[in-house]
Amino acid sequence: MIILMRIDKLLCEMNIGSRSQVKELIKKGLVCADGRVVKKPETHVDENTVVITCQGKVYRYVPYVYYMMNKPSGVITATRDETDRTVLDVLRAELSKCGSLTGIPLKDISPVGRLDKDTVGLLLLTNNGELSHNLLSPKNHVPKKYFVKTDGPISDEMVQALENGIMIGQKEKTLPAVIEDRNENQCMITIMEGKYHQIKRMFHAVGRNVIYLKRLSMGTLVLDQRLSEGQVRELTKEEVDALCLKT
Ligand code: URA
């Protein structure tokens, strides 16, 4: 499908510069589309196929981008903040380290769902709003798996309560959770919802405080164990296809 877009708008969306900066680059004859110098900012190009060259660098527009982050502790799940470092700051810093900041439509990227400031682990960041909506929609019951450490042993009764569903101060009980690999004061827990502070509130309801929380998976997407906290990588095509297919 041909989708025509003004070249100055496309360059902005690719994070190559502000509207005035890219107009200047175009006027100076520094921008080529499919091998031809473009002189007018209002020139329309096919965003799906055009190959842009700007100051010697080659860019191909990708409408959707998908990143997996191992979210570090101490960072908030937001796109911007006056005081705290955000996951978007982490993403920007990581991408600029590997020199791939330009060409990416960063301004539209947001985290899919929210992890608390002290929670670590899997966070998906994308500008694909439809996928994000589908993953977060309560109707879709997308499973999210966490590794949890608590401030005391987790008993059989506690597991039973968590697996049955439990009141956490809302009208209805939580949906049944799945507890695996329990060992003293730690376990894996899979939940099908994403209520505010849900895991902490569920454990609090059975008399335990969560002292460490790490998300391991969301739907079909599994945290890449090679990513240390604060590291980011692009999703593979297979990971994107699986997410889009299953949600
Ligand atoms: N549940 C929580 O309590 N915190 C998180 O960050 C994620 C799930």
Side-chain angles (χ1 to χ4, degrees):
M1 186 178 42
I2 297 176
I3 302 180
L4 293 178
M5 197 194 293
R6 278 177 67 121
I7 193 157
D8 57 345
K9 184 163 187 275
L10 188 68
L11 293 175
C12 286
E13 295 212 350
M14 290 163 86
N15 199 30
I16 289 170
S18 65
R19 198 75 173 239
S20 55
Q21 284 168 334
V22 304
K23 278 187 177 159
E24 202 52 38
L25 290 169
I26 293 168
K27 284 202 182 118
K28 284 184 180 158
L30 295 171
V31 175
C32 293
D34 296 326
R36 282 205 206 112
V37 176
V38 176
K39 281 286 166 68
K40 290 183 184 156
E42 62 273 22
T43 305
H44 280 74
V45 291
D46 181 354
E47 67 172 47
N48 281 327
T49 60
V50 70
V51 177
I52 304 274
T53 321
C54 180
Q55 296 179 292
K57 263 193 160 184
V58 181
Y59 300 95
R60 185 99 198 229
Y61 179 59
V62 277
Y64 292 128
V65 288
Y66 306 87
Y67 293 100
M68 172 191 297
M69 177 182 292
N70 184 349
K71 178 194 169 293
S73 182
V75 167
I76 62 166
T77 311
T79 50
R80 61 175 69 187
D81 193 78
E82 295 291 307
T83 46
D84 282 305
R85 192 152 189 253
T86 70
V87 291
L88 252 290
D89 295 329
V90 175
L91 178 66
R92 231 175 267 121
E94 281 297 296
L95 293 182
S96 69
K97 253 192 226 164
C98 50
S100 49
L101 197 53
T102 42
I104 306 291
L106 261 186
K107 73 172 169 42
D108 297 326
I109 299 179
S110 348
V112 179
R114 197 172 280 262
L115 291 179
D116 297 337
K117 191 172 174 181
D118 58 352
T119 301
V120 299
L122 177 67
L123 187 68
L124 171 65
L125 296 118
T126 183
N127 57 349
N128 183 338
E130 192 183 339
L131 175 66
S132 188
H133 172 81
N134 290 341
L135 284 168
L136 296 176
S137 168
K139 278 185 277 167
N140 287 340
H141 300 314
V142 173
K144 284 151 290 253
K145 186 172 188 170
Y146 294 84
F147 171 67
V148 187
K149 281 189 190 174
T150 55
D151 62 351
I154 305 165
S155 67
D156 290 346
E157 292 70 32
M158 291 174 189
V159 170
Q160 200 51 239
L162 295 165
E163 289 196 333
N164 283 343
I166 193 163
M167 294 303 290
I168 56 170
Q170 281 174 309
K171 272 197 204 132
E172 296 188 355
K173 281 197 214 172
T174 56
L175 291 175
V178 176
I179 307 277
E180 293 166 297
D181 300 336
R182 175 169 50 120
N183 184 0
E184 289 283 315
N185 62 343
Q186 63 184 52
C187 68
M188 305 282 189
I189 179 167
T190 304
I191 56 171
M192 305 293 180
E193 307 152 285
K195 297 193 164 87
Y196 185 63
H197 293 327
Q198 181 159 345
I199 303 280
K200 290 175 184 165
R201 287 161 68 201
M202 287 171 77
F203 277 91
H204 194 251
V206 295
R208 291 286 174 259
N209 289 310
V210 170
I211 56 169
Y212 179 80
L213 187 58
K214 177 175 187 171
R215 184 155 65 189
L216 303 173
S217 66
M218 182 183 204
T220 56
L221 190 64
V222 178
L223 178 65
D224 186 334
Q225 294 303 322
R226 291 167 301 186
L227 290 181
S228 48
E229 281 177 28
Q231 284 190 319
V232 171
R233 74 154 167 80
E234 257 187 275
L235 260 59
T236 63
K237 186 176 177 315
E238 290 71 28
E239 285 169 332
V240 174
D241 288 349
L243 276 179
C244 293
L245 209 73
K246 285 273 169 77
T247 47

